[in-house]
Amino acid sequence: MSNAWTLARFHPRLLDSCRGYNRQRLWKDAGAGVTVGIVALPLAMAFAIASGMKPEAGLWTAIIAGFLISLLGGSSVQIGGPAGAFIVVVYSIIERYGLPNLLIATALAGVLLFAMGLLRLGTLVRYVPVTIVVGFTNGIAVLIALSQVKDLLGLQVPHMPADFFSQLQTLWQHRHSFNAAALGLGLSCVVGLFVWPWLWGRPHRFQQALDVPGMRRAMRTAARLPGPVVALVTLTLLAWMLDLPVDTIGSRFGDIPSGLPQWAWPDLSWDSAKHLLNPTLTIALLGAVESLLCARVADQIGDQARHDPNQELMAQGIANLVSPFFGGMPATGTIARTVTNIRSGATSPVSGLVHALVLAVIVLLAAPLALRIPLPVLSGILLFVAWNMGEWHEFVQLRHYSGHYRLVMLGTFFLTVVFDLTVAIEVGLVLACALFIRRMSSLFTVAPVSEGLPAQERHYRLHGALFFGAVDRIDGLLSDVENSPAGLTVVLDAQYLVALDTTGLDALRQLHRVIRQRGGRLRLEQLQPQPQGLVQRSGFAAELALDGGP
């Protein structure tokens, strides 16, 4: 029975997409997959290098994890693979624990992600406040940009620390090794990536000057070419022809293996698992948040069926469990590639499978060509990614929001930059919860009713939720009772009391004891279902009945 229960919960979206699948959809998915595969090529290498790993780690992560996420995931069009959000996290884990322990932590995070999906916890990720998401996303974007300054300026730094202030100090200490050629390539890449979609996205600007049918066709073709790929090819050729003195993938990392990756079993033990609890939780949490946010973005801009968050988490878990055995890095949903996939006409997870196969073919047949890619060009691509990744307009909009919103967002942002993502999310969640409790407690009121009442009665109307954060309002009611004549009947109109917890119930019990000691009695009237259920189950209703109450 348990096996049937598990299988009923494990239902990849690919199974649904196969119904009514035809040749027309296959051509659309194939075209989208080829486009995304080409876009993913430079990004996968850049993410791996920036994370402190070899470029082939990013490539095989995009291939293996990307294939599994599309094959088993709960979204029709999401593309999985290495993501910019993981750069800072992976670099920090390698710096503190070493590469072998990163692989173990990634595999353990995969198990945790699968368990989260199996236990139907995918919807809980949606409860992470948007202020925290914006804060750590912008913080990661800043750290990604800072990590690329070394290669952008061509600085000869033997080892970059993971700490923010240590990175600034290291960059300043090695400023004398500045390379103008590297800066020229990097800036050319950044400027080109910003200009490319503007230049070719609206060919009508040039139609009057270039009103030639062949030219217009060429312009439409150019508009379809991904900017990162154009920058990678053109600037690599430029650096090679001019023999510019800049670091390349080949000079930094040596050959890129063009064969299949080797299976390697990590040295996993219970002691190492306990030691890696913190990085495991960080990878799992970030992977869950990023993948489900990406899936929600895909739902908003596409016309496909809504994603299944739990199935998506299970697929992410399997991908992150398998990828480290081939030397891969953590994987999650990638917004840029997913949006590219949708805009290229994808209709099903088949496009994601094609994207992984295209990458595999490129790696197996053309890996040696990547050795001449200048590292400043990859830095330029990552700077462009960091800029697009950050939601910088949120800083401008802060003046329109409450102090609570500003505190949580800016606190998460600065903690991400100065400390790390785990601390930022933990503190951000604590702050968000504390501020939410404070706001909810302010909504609970106790209003006296004084019209047409007998002399020996006091009526009060309760509004909102009486919970642990709002019991101080009952203290004010206690003071009123203690300063009133003895023998009063206190009536609490609970028609607008929407919720009551055990702490609030305890405050009402204390109020009841004080009233009884003064020879009076307490009545609760018009209780809503939830407060009434708690009052009856706790026996408080029976206590009130002994005094002649309801």
XYZ file of all heavy atoms in Angstrom, residues 440-526:
674
model
N -0.010 41.901 13.687
C -1.259 41.207 13.978
C -1.767 41.547 15.373
O -2.984 41.664 15.597
C -1.062 39.696 13.852
C -0.846 39.218 12.424
S -2.240 39.605 11.338
C -3.538 38.666 12.109
N -0.844 41.699 16.323
C -1.278 42.043 17.680
C -1.906 43.430 17.721
O -2.806 43.684 18.531
C -0.085 41.970 18.637
O 0.890 42.954 18.319
N -1.428 44.326 16.853
C -2.003 45.679 16.836
C -3.425 45.695 16.285
O -4.164 46.662 16.501
C -1.116 46.618 16.013
O -1.145 46.254 14.634
N -3.800 44.620 15.577
C -5.155 44.561 15.018
C -6.185 44.083 16.029
O -7.393 44.177 15.787
C -5.168 43.633 13.794
C -4.281 44.062 12.619
C -4.371 43.039 11.494
C -4.677 45.446 12.119
N -5.697 43.517 17.145
C -6.652 43.056 18.173
C -6.998 44.220 19.098
O -6.117 44.906 19.625
C -6.050 41.911 18.983
C -6.930 41.460 20.109
C -8.047 40.691 19.855
C -6.660 41.838 21.424
C -8.878 40.284 20.891
C -7.486 41.441 22.454
C -8.592 40.655 22.189
N -8.284 44.444 19.281
C -8.737 45.546 20.137
C -9.806 45.063 21.104
O -10.542 44.103 20.829
C -9.303 46.711 19.301
O -10.412 46.233 18.513
C -8.236 47.292 18.386
N -9.873 45.744 22.249
C -10.930 45.523 23.233
C -11.655 46.854 23.396
O -11.109 47.809 23.961
C -10.356 45.061 24.579
C -11.490 44.853 25.590
C -9.548 43.776 24.404
N -12.881 46.933 22.870
C -13.627 48.201 22.861
C -14.761 48.144 23.880
O -15.612 47.237 23.823
C -14.185 48.478 21.473
N -14.806 49.068 24.823
C -15.916 49.077 25.795
C -17.231 49.511 25.140
O -17.249 50.351 24.244
C -15.458 50.092 26.848
C -14.496 50.984 26.130
C -13.826 50.131 25.093
N -18.329 48.919 25.565
C -19.673 49.273 25.106
C -20.423 49.817 26.314
O -20.591 49.113 27.320
C -20.410 48.062 24.517
C -21.805 48.463 24.048
C -19.613 47.475 23.369
N -20.880 51.051 26.239
C -21.436 51.700 27.435
C -22.882 52.154 27.282
O -23.426 52.781 28.195
C -20.571 52.917 27.805
O -20.513 53.827 26.707
N -23.522 51.847 26.180
C -24.874 52.372 25.947
C -25.935 51.419 26.495
O -25.954 50.226 26.152
C -25.104 52.584 24.447
C -24.179 53.615 23.828
C -24.409 53.750 22.340
O -25.272 53.027 21.813
O -23.730 54.571 21.711
N -26.840 51.939 27.353
C -28.007 51.192 27.820
C -27.688 49.961 28.624
O -28.353 48.929 28.443
N -26.687 49.995 29.515
C -26.306 48.827 30.295
C -26.713 48.999 31.756
O -26.720 50.122 32.294
C -24.793 48.623 30.218
C -24.208 48.341 28.834
C -22.695 48.216 28.933
C -24.809 47.081 28.242
N -27.053 47.903 32.425
C -27.318 47.978 33.877
C -26.064 48.444 34.623
O -24.939 48.316 34.136
C -27.678 46.531 34.242
C -28.096 45.894 32.949
C -27.296 46.568 31.880
N -26.261 48.946 35.829
C -25.140 49.494 36.592
C -24.114 48.435 36.956
O -22.928 48.732 37.107
C -25.666 50.183 37.860
N -24.551 47.188 37.115
C -23.642 46.133 37.549
C -23.065 45.332 36.377
O -22.550 44.238 36.590
C -24.376 45.176 38.509
C -24.716 45.793 39.848
C -23.478 46.234 40.613
O -22.523 45.484 40.730
N -23.474 47.479 41.101
N -23.129 45.848 35.176
C -22.580 45.124 34.018
C -21.587 46.005 33.262
O -21.747 47.236 33.197
C -23.703 44.687 33.060
C -24.494 43.514 33.565
C -25.398 42.927 32.479
O -25.239 43.326 31.295
O -26.252 42.085 32.802
N -20.564 45.355 32.732
C -19.592 45.990 31.853
C -19.503 45.147 30.574
O -19.257 43.941 30.647
C -18.219 46.086 32.518
C -18.167 46.963 33.736
C -18.288 48.440 33.345
N -18.058 49.309 34.495
C -18.996 49.676 35.363
N -20.247 49.213 35.188
N -18.707 50.445 36.384
N -19.706 45.784 29.442
C -19.649 45.060 28.166
C -18.413 45.518 27.383
O -18.107 46.715 27.320
C -20.909 45.334 27.332
C -22.100 44.563 27.792
N -23.030 44.031 26.934
C -22.507 44.213 29.044
C -23.959 43.412 27.617
N -23.677 43.515 28.919
N -17.766 44.539 26.755
C -16.597 44.824 25.912
C -16.722 44.015 24.617
O -17.205 42.867 24.626
C -15.294 44.433 26.614
C -15.048 45.191 27.903
C -15.541 44.704 29.110
C -14.335 46.381 27.909
C -15.329 45.386 30.305
C -14.113 47.078 29.093
C -14.614 46.569 30.284
O -14.394 47.258 31.457
N -16.314 44.621 23.523
C -16.364 43.944 22.221
C -14.939 43.612 21.782
O -14.076 44.501 21.722
C -17.060 44.828 21.192
C -17.261 44.136 19.838
C -18.146 44.964 18.910
N -19.530 44.999 19.388
C -20.169 46.106 19.721
N -19.567 47.286 19.635
N -21.417 46.066 20.143
N -14.703 42.335 21.472
C -13.374 41.867 21.052
C -13.294 41.847 19.524
O -14.179 41.292 18.861
C -13.094 40.464 21.603
C -13.258 40.278 23.117
C -12.901 38.848 23.515
C -12.413 41.278 23.889
N -12.224 42.422 18.984
C -12.005 42.434 17.531
C -10.644 41.809 17.219
O -9.651 42.113 17.886
C -12.010 43.873 16.991
C -13.344 44.533 17.016
N -14.149 44.647 15.899
C -14.023 45.121 18.030
C -15.262 45.284 16.233
N -15.204 45.589 17.522
N -10.605 40.939 16.187
C -9.323 40.417 15.712
C -9.005 39.047 16.268
O -9.906 38.239 16.529
N -7.718 38.779 16.464
C -7.237 37.476 16.927
C -6.574 37.656 18.291
O -5.641 38.448 18.434
C -6.247 36.880 15.933
N -7.046 36.906 19.278
C -6.456 36.944 20.614
C -5.448 35.796 20.702
O -5.826 34.637 20.909
C -7.544 36.804 21.681
C -7.061 36.780 23.143
C -6.211 37.996 23.460
C -8.255 36.680 24.093
N -4.184 36.129 20.500
C -3.124 35.116 20.520
C -1.990 35.628 21.405
O -2.110 36.673 22.062
C -2.649 34.801 19.100
C -1.926 35.941 18.427
C -0.564 35.859 18.151
C -2.593 37.105 18.066
C 0.099 36.907 17.546
C -1.932 38.156 17.451
C -0.583 38.053 17.199
N -0.895 34.875 21.440
C 0.177 35.185 22.389
C 0.759 36.580 22.206
O 1.309 37.159 23.137
C 1.290 34.137 22.286
C 1.989 34.093 20.957
C 3.108 34.868 20.710
C 1.524 33.259 19.946
C 3.752 34.830 19.494
C 2.170 33.217 18.721
C 3.282 34.010 18.484
N 0.663 37.135 20.978
C 1.209 38.459 20.749
C 0.271 39.587 21.131
O 0.667 40.756 21.094
N -0.968 39.261 21.510
C -1.961 40.313 21.782
C -2.538 40.238 23.190
O -3.471 40.987 23.505
C -3.095 40.225 20.757
N -2.001 39.366 24.057
C -2.609 39.182 25.378
C -2.422 40.403 26.266
O -3.119 40.546 27.294
C -2.026 37.929 26.071
C -2.476 36.669 25.356
C -0.507 38.002 26.136
N -1.484 41.303 25.912
C -1.305 42.495 26.740
C -2.569 43.368 26.729
O -2.796 44.173 27.646
C -0.096 43.297 26.268
C -0.223 43.749 24.830
O -0.749 42.976 24.002
O 0.217 44.881 24.511
N -3.404 43.229 25.682
C -4.657 43.998 25.643
C -5.620 43.515 26.740
O -6.438 44.292 27.239
C -5.317 43.876 24.277
C -4.410 44.238 23.108
C -3.890 45.667 23.239
N -2.880 45.970 22.236
C -3.142 46.505 21.053
N -4.399 46.774 20.727
N -2.165 46.777 20.216
N -5.541 42.239 27.100
C -6.376 41.724 28.184
C -5.893 42.277 29.525
O -6.683 42.449 30.453
C -6.361 40.181 28.178
C -6.892 39.662 26.834
C -7.216 39.619 29.314
C -8.320 40.063 26.533
N -4.579 42.565 29.612
C -4.063 43.180 30.839
C -4.739 44.523 31.096
O -5.040 44.876 32.244
C -2.547 43.373 30.737
C -1.811 42.051 30.680
O -2.395 41.031 31.108
O -0.648 42.032 30.199
N -4.981 45.286 30.025
C -5.695 46.552 30.188
C -7.121 46.340 30.677
O -7.639 47.112 31.506
N -7.753 45.276 30.194
C -9.104 44.945 30.650
C -9.086 44.540 32.124
O -9.998 44.886 32.906
C -9.670 43.819 29.780
C -11.091 43.348 30.073
C -12.067 44.515 30.027
C -11.500 42.275 29.071
N -8.039 43.833 32.525
C -7.891 43.456 33.929
C -7.823 44.689 34.832
O -8.422 44.738 35.912
C -6.632 42.608 34.116
C -6.753 41.100 33.891
C -5.376 40.444 33.914
C -7.650 40.484 34.939
N -7.081 45.692 34.372
C -6.968 46.929 35.158
C -8.317 47.606 35.317
O -8.657 48.119 36.399
C -5.965 47.879 34.499
O -4.682 47.298 34.419
N -9.110 47.619 34.231
C -10.448 48.212 34.315
C -11.311 47.481 35.340
O -12.046 48.107 36.126
C -11.138 48.162 32.947
C -10.511 49.137 31.966
O -9.751 50.012 32.402
O -10.782 49.006 30.744
N -11.229 46.144 35.353
C -12.037 45.353 36.277
C -11.605 45.612 37.714
O -12.441 45.759 38.627
C -11.919 43.854 35.927
C -12.558 42.992 37.008
C -12.569 43.572 34.580
N -10.301 45.666 37.950
C -9.792 45.862 39.306
C -10.142 47.248 39.848
O -10.252 47.442 41.071
C -8.282 45.651 39.340
C -7.883 44.201 39.115
C -6.379 44.028 38.967
O -5.681 45.050 38.776
O -5.915 42.880 39.023
N -10.298 48.229 38.968
C -10.631 49.591 39.397
C -12.140 49.850 39.426
O -12.569 50.980 39.660
C -9.957 50.606 38.471
C -8.447 50.569 38.588
O -7.909 50.307 39.664
N -7.762 50.842 37.478
N -12.937 48.823 39.146
C -14.398 48.948 39.136
C -14.964 48.375 40.445
O -14.289 47.623 41.153
C -14.985 48.207 37.937
O -14.487 48.754 36.727
N -16.203 48.674 40.760
C -16.829 48.107 41.973
C -16.886 46.583 41.906
O -16.928 45.980 40.833
C -18.234 48.719 41.957
C -18.118 49.941 41.101
C -17.089 49.636 40.081
N -16.892 45.942 43.086
C -16.970 44.486 43.159
C -18.348 44.002 42.737
O -19.330 44.750 42.729
C -16.653 44.022 44.579
N -18.389 42.699 42.362
C -19.660 42.083 42.014
C -20.138 42.382 40.613
O -21.318 42.189 40.295
N -19.258 42.823 39.731
C -19.646 43.153 38.358
C -19.829 41.895 37.510
O -19.167 40.867 37.715
C -18.595 44.037 37.696
C -18.537 45.510 38.106
C -17.381 46.191 37.378
C -19.855 46.211 37.763
N -20.724 41.987 36.551
C -20.829 40.987 35.484
C -20.149 41.564 34.246
O -20.554 42.629 33.757
C -22.294 40.660 35.164
O -22.905 40.069 36.317
C -22.391 39.702 33.986
N -19.110 40.864 33.789
C -18.351 41.318 32.623
C -18.770 40.472 31.421
O -18.677 39.232 31.467
C -16.833 41.214 32.858
C -16.076 41.636 31.603
C -16.419 42.083 34.040
N -19.256 41.136 30.383
C -19.709 40.449 29.171
C -18.737 40.771 28.034
O -18.478 41.953 27.753
C -21.134 40.894 28.781
C -21.577 40.172 27.507
C -22.096 40.639 29.927
N -18.186 39.706 27.422
C -17.283 39.867 26.284
C -18.022 39.458 25.013
O -18.391 38.274 24.850
C -16.025 39.011 26.460
C -15.159 39.321 27.689
C -13.924 38.413 27.701
C -14.749 40.780 27.719
N -18.288 40.421 24.151
C -18.933 40.137 22.862
C -17.853 39.667 21.890
O -17.014 40.440 21.437
C -19.611 41.399 22.346
C -20.352 41.167 21.030
O -20.263 40.046 20.488
O -20.999 42.106 20.534
N -17.848 38.363 21.571
C -16.807 37.753 20.744
C -17.258 37.530 19.306
O -16.711 36.672 18.601
C -16.355 36.430 21.360
N -18.246 38.309 18.855
C -18.738 38.129 17.490
C -17.638 38.370 16.455
O -17.605 37.729 15.411
C -19.905 39.076 17.238
C -20.508 38.945 15.840
C -21.663 39.896 15.628
O -22.024 40.657 16.522
N -22.264 39.855 14.448
N -16.728 39.295 16.762
C -15.667 39.635 15.807
C -14.301 39.101 16.249
O -13.274 39.553 15.764
C -15.599 41.154 15.646
C -16.904 41.749 15.164
C -17.717 42.468 16.028
C -17.339 41.559 13.851
C -18.922 43.003 15.600
C -18.534 42.087 13.417
C -19.332 42.806 14.292
O -20.531 43.324 13.851
N -14.311 38.155 17.175
C -13.074 37.471 17.569
C -12.865 36.306 16.605
O -13.557 35.291 16.691
C -13.167 36.978 19.006
C -11.928 36.241 19.536
C -10.749 37.195 19.671
C -12.227 35.576 20.894
N -11.925 36.448 15.672
C -11.801 35.465 14.590
C -10.918 34.288 14.967
O -11.010 33.218 14.356
C -11.239 36.132 13.315
C -12.206 37.173 12.783
C -9.879 36.778 13.584
N -10.033 34.455 15.969
C -9.129 33.359 16.327
C -8.719 33.503 17.778
O -8.614 34.610 18.321
C -7.897 33.356 15.425
N -8.465 32.349 18.405
C -8.050 32.303 19.804
C -7.048 31.170 19.968
O -7.288 30.051 19.496
C -9.279 32.069 20.703
C -9.032 31.908 22.202
C -8.600 33.242 22.812
C -10.287 31.385 22.899
N -5.890 31.459 20.590
C -4.938 30.386 20.849
C -4.892 30.100 22.349
O -5.595 30.729 23.149
C -3.553 30.724 20.298
C -2.830 31.797 21.083
O -3.454 32.436 21.951
O -1.632 32.003 20.823
N -4.075 29.156 22.763
C -4.048 28.720 24.164
C -3.530 29.826 25.087
O -3.962 29.913 26.239
C -3.178 27.471 24.311
O -1.882 27.724 23.742
C -3.809 26.283 23.601
N -2.613 30.667 24.590
C -2.139 31.778 25.408
C -3.254 32.795 25.633
O -3.423 33.324 26.742
C -0.931 32.461 24.747
O 0.072 31.493 24.473
C -0.347 33.537 25.639
N -4.009 33.076 24.584
C -5.164 33.961 24.743
C -6.204 33.369 25.667
O -6.826 34.088 26.478
N -6.396 32.041 25.563
C -7.338 31.372 26.459
C -6.877 31.481 27.904
O -7.693 31.706 28.827
C -7.481 29.910 26.047
C -8.401 29.046 26.911
C -9.843 29.534 26.787
C -8.302 27.579 26.505
N -5.580 31.338 28.126
C -5.049 31.467 29.475
C -5.277 32.875 30.021
O -5.568 33.055 31.220
C -3.557 31.134 29.463
C -2.953 31.139 30.858
O -3.303 30.250 31.657
O -2.148 32.052 31.155
N -5.157 33.900 29.155
C -5.420 35.280 29.592
C -6.887 35.449 29.979
O -7.216 36.142 30.972
C -5.053 36.253 28.473
N -7.804 34.821 29.241
C -9.225 34.886 29.603
C -9.494 34.164 30.919
O -10.318 34.609 31.730
C -10.072 34.274 28.486
C -10.113 35.039 27.156
C -10.969 34.296 26.140
C -10.638 36.456 27.361
N -8.795 33.062 31.135
C -8.954 32.333 32.406
C -8.487 33.196 33.586
O -9.104 33.212 34.649
C -8.156 31.032 32.348
C -8.928 29.864 31.748
C -8.255 28.556 32.124
N -9.155 27.429 31.977
C -8.979 26.436 31.109
N -7.944 26.461 30.280
N -9.824 25.439 31.054
N -7.353 33.893 33.373
C -6.869 34.771 34.433
C -7.866 35.888 34.717
O -8.123 36.245 35.877
C -5.508 35.358 34.036
C -4.863 36.197 35.122
C -3.513 36.735 34.701
O -3.027 36.418 33.628
N -2.919 37.559 35.556
N -8.441 36.449 33.646
C -9.476 37.470 33.817
C -10.661 36.908 34.591
O -11.223 37.568 35.491
C -9.919 37.978 32.443
C -11.084 38.973 32.420
C -10.690 40.283 33.110
C -11.533 39.241 30.983
N -11.029 35.656 34.283
C -12.151 35.014 34.970
C -11.866 34.855 36.456
O -12.731 35.104 37.317
C -12.417 33.652 34.316
C -13.570 32.921 34.925
N -13.552 31.554 35.134
C -14.776 33.362 35.398
C -14.698 31.182 35.686
N -15.458 32.273 35.848
N -10.648 34.462 36.816
C -10.287 34.274 38.217
C -10.375 35.595 38.996
O -10.883 35.638 40.131
C -8.867 33.699 38.324
C -8.786 32.220 37.991
C -7.459 31.632 38.430
N -6.354 32.207 37.683
C -5.858 31.692 36.555
N -6.400 30.588 36.051
N -4.847 32.261 35.950
N -9.872 36.674 38.365
C -9.924 37.978 39.033
C -11.368 38.417 39.261
O -11.739 38.913 40.348
C -9.151 39.029 38.208
C -9.378 40.430 38.781
C -7.674 38.708 38.183
N -12.216 38.212 38.248
C -13.623 38.611 38.371
C -14.312 37.800 39.463
O -15.098 38.335 40.279
C -14.336 38.449 37.016
C -13.767 39.450 35.998
C -15.840 38.634 37.164
C -14.300 39.274 34.596
N -14.028 36.495 39.546
C -14.637 35.642 40.576
C -14.189 36.060 41.975
O -14.980 36.066 42.927
C -14.291 34.187 40.329
C -14.991 33.575 39.131
C -14.736 32.090 39.053
N -15.264 31.405 40.230
C -15.104 30.098 40.463
N -14.409 29.353 39.601
N -15.608 29.536 41.534
N -12.889 36.381 42.089
C -12.385 36.806 43.398
C -13.074 38.075 43.881
O -13.191 38.312 45.095
C -10.875 37.037 43.325
C -10.071 35.761 43.161
C -8.593 36.039 42.872
O -8.182 37.195 42.804
N -7.817 34.968 42.715
N -13.561 38.886 42.924
C -14.252 40.128 43.287
C -15.774 39.944 43.336
O -16.525 40.920 43.349
C -13.893 41.216 42.285
C -12.401 41.584 42.309
C -12.078 42.627 41.266
N -12.827 43.860 41.464
C -12.498 44.830 42.321
N -11.403 44.698 43.066
N -13.249 45.921 42.451
N -16.204 38.678 43.315
C -17.619 38.389 43.481
C -18.446 38.585 42.227
O -19.677 38.635 42.300
N -17.839 38.682 41.095
C -18.569 38.879 39.848
C -18.555 37.626 38.981
O -18.166 36.536 39.415
N -18.969 37.746 37.759
C -18.944 36.606 36.825
C -18.643 37.100 35.411
O -18.841 38.280 35.084
C -20.255 35.824 36.850
C -21.491 36.573 36.434
C -22.748 35.789 36.807
N -23.957 36.456 36.364
C -24.615 36.147 35.251
N -24.160 35.178 34.468
N -25.714 36.791 34.919
N -18.171 36.169 34.574
C -17.759 36.472 33.201
C -18.652 35.725 32.229
O -18.947 34.540 32.429
C -16.293 36.064 32.987
C -15.741 36.197 31.565
C -15.648 37.674 31.162
C -14.359 35.549 31.451
N -19.081 36.435 31.156
C -19.879 35.789 30.112
C -19.211 36.036 28.758
O -18.755 37.149 28.461
C -21.304 36.361 30.081
C -22.110 35.961 31.289
C -23.600 36.257 31.176
N -24.035 37.047 30.060
C -24.795 38.144 30.188
N -25.124 38.595 31.396
N -25.210 38.793 29.137
N -19.153 34.977 27.958
C -18.670 35.074 26.573
C -19.871 34.878 25.652
O -20.582 33.864 25.764
C -17.609 34.009 26.277
C -16.231 34.204 26.913
C -15.322 33.014 26.606
C -15.581 35.478 26.395
N -20.064 35.811 24.731
C -21.239 35.741 23.859
C -20.821 35.749 22.395
O -19.825 36.370 22.023
C -22.164 36.942 24.127
C -22.757 36.957 25.525
C -23.688 38.136 25.753
O -23.696 39.052 24.895
O -24.402 38.141 26.775
N -21.616 35.047 21.569
C -21.497 35.039 20.099
C -20.103 34.587 19.634
O -19.484 35.211 18.782
C -21.817 36.426 19.524
C -23.184 36.958 19.899
C -23.531 38.235 19.177
O -23.849 38.192 17.976
N -23.469 39.367 19.875
